[in-house]
Amino acid sequence: MNKKYRKTIIAGNWKMNLLPSEVKPFTEELRSSMPRVKTCETVLCVPFTHISALRRALKDNRIAVGAQDVSTYEKGAYTGEIAGDMLNDLGVRYCIVGHSERREYHGEDNFTVGRKALAALENGIHPIICVGETLEQRERGITMEHISCQLISALSFIPDDKVRQCVIAYEPIWAIGTGKTATPEEAQEVCSFIRRIMRERYGARLARSVSILYGGSMKSSNAKELLSMPDIDGGLIGGASLKPNEFIQIIDAVAQVTGEER
Ligand code: 13P
C-alpha cells in the first residue's frame, strides 16, 4: 500500500526517565544535528512535569510535544489526574494511551484505553493507541485475536469522523525494553493485520491514511529494516529516545527509506 497518504512518525517515549532540568540540554543536542526530514513527524512523549520545559526548549514546530497518558475525566475531584484540556493548553499534540506498562501496572483495560483515546481527541490531541501481545499469547498462536480485541474495543469509543486522527502503535510486550526486537516480517504481519481491520471497519481511504507505528527495542541498528516494511509508518521508541544521537539516527533512517535528502 502506498505510504504517501500517511505520515511517518518517529515518537520517543521517555517513560519515567530524565529530569525536567535535563530537557533543555537534551533538546539542544537533538536540534543541533537532527536532520530535516519533510516526510517525518518527530514527537517526544515526556512526563507531565517536563512538558512546559520541552515546549520552551523547542522554540519552533520541528518537534511535536507528546504526553504519556491522559485522564478519562474532564475535570473535578480526581486527585492526581491530568485532563485533556490541560494538555492541550500546554501545546501537547500527541498522547500515548494504553501503553502495556499502564495496562500492567495501573490496571487499564480496553475500555479505559478507549475512553482515554476519546478524551485526547476531544481536546484536539492525536492519541497513539498501543496494542500488543505477550510472549505467551504469541506462543499460543492468539496474537491476532488479542490485537483485534484490543483495537476494536478501543475504537468502539471513537466516533467515525475522528478515527483518522488516531495513530496506532503495535508494541509486542516481549520486545519492550528487552533488546529483543520483532523481526521486520513479524512486525509487518501484525501492522498489516491492523490496517486490514481499519479497512474492514472504515474503508480503504481511511486505512491507507492511518499511521501505524512499531515499538519494542527499535534502535539505530534496526530502524531502517523495520521502517522499510510497507505497513510500518514509524516507531514508538523507548530506550533509544533517551540518547539524542540514537534518536537522530532513527530519524535519519526515515530519510534513507524515503530517499529524501537530509
Ligand atoms: P523500548 O524501545 O525501550 O523497547 O520501549 C518501547 C516502548 O515501550 C515505547 O513505548
Side-chain angles (χ1 to χ4, degrees):
M1 207 181 269
N2 199 326
K3 283 194 179 186
K4 76 177 179 211
Y5 297 106
R6 48 192 185 258
K7 256 192 253 175
T8 300
I9 299 172
I10 296 297
N13 175 8
W14 280 12
K15 308 192 180 185
M16 198 170 73
N17 290 296
L18 303 182
L19 295 172
S21 57
E22 290 174 293
V23 167
K24 194 162 179 259
F26 181 98
T27 42
E28 272 166 10
E29 195 177 336
L30 189 63
R31 283 163 48 91
S32 67
S33 37
M34 194 178 110
R36 280 182 192 274
V37 185
K38 276 207 286 308
T39 49
C40 178
E41 169 98 310
T42 306
V43 186
L44 282 177
C45 298
V46 296
F48 295 131
T49 44
H50 300 39
I51 290 172
S52 293
L54 182 62
R55 271 281 282 178
R56 270 198 307 278
L58 291 177
K59 299 186 187 97
D60 56 27
N61 291 328
R62 274 182 75 197
I63 301 172
V65 178
Q68 299 173 14
D69 188 26
V70 62
S71 179
T72 55
Y73 300 106
E74 270 177 47
K75 64 167 73 213
Y78 301 102
T79 303
E81 289 283 86
I82 305 286
D85 66 349
M86 297 176 182
L87 296 177
N88 172 296
D89 196 54
L90 288 177
V92 167
R93 298 199 15 236
Y94 288 85
C95 182
I96 299 172
V97 296
H99 193 282
S100 59
E101 288 150 15
R102 294 217 55 91
R103 294 178 191 259
E104 184 178 353
Y105 306 124
H106 301 273
E108 289 190 10
D109 60 17
N110 291 332
F111 299 102
T112 309
V113 175
R115 288 172 63 207
K116 289 190 170 192
L118 181 61
L121 287 164
E122 281 175 338
N123 288 287
I125 296 167
H126 300 283
I128 303 176
I129 303 172
C130 300
V131 295
E133 81 287 3
T134 61
L135 185 58
E136 196 213 335
Q137 286 165 329
R138 176 158 281 265
E139 284 170 354
R140 281 172 52 208
I142 56 167
T143 296
M144 301 310 187
E145 212 177 307
H146 179 70
I147 299 290
S148 121
C149 173
Q150 286 186 319
L151 187 62
I152 291 171
S153 317
L155 291 172
S156 68
F157 286 82
I158 298 171
D160 286 7
D161 65 338
K162 288 204 186 306
V163 173
R164 67 175 57 251
Q165 292 158 41
C166 297
V167 176
I168 314 295
Y170 167 54
E171 297 209 308
I173 294 170
W174 48 271
I176 296 178
T178 56
K180 194 170 187 288
T181 323
T183 64
E185 293 72 25
E186 282 169 333
Q188 162 62 22
E189 189 187 14
V190 180
C191 291
S192 134
F193 174 72
I194 290 171
R195 202 175 307 282
R196 198 168 84 216
I197 295 178
M198 301 303 280
R199 192 180 317 120
E200 283 164 6
R201 288 179 70 89
Y202 306 105
R205 260 183 101 135
L206 184 131
R208 75 180 181 195
S209 67
V210 68
S211 299
I212 304 175
L213 318 184
Y214 167 79
S217 301
M218 191 189 263
K219 45 188 177 275
S220 59
S221 57
N222 59 25
K224 191 175 167 197
E225 273 184 306
L226 287 158
L227 296 169
S228 303
M229 291 287 133
D231 288 293
I232 301 181
D233 309 314
L236 185 54
I237 297 134
S241 75
L242 298 169
K243 301 172 204 139
N245 192 39
E246 266 289 304
F247 198 57
I248 286 169
Q249 286 184 61
I250 296 174
I251 299 165
D252 222 18
V254 175
Q256 288 171 38
V257 170
T258 56
E260 217 179 295
E261 293 285 320
R262 52 162 299 187

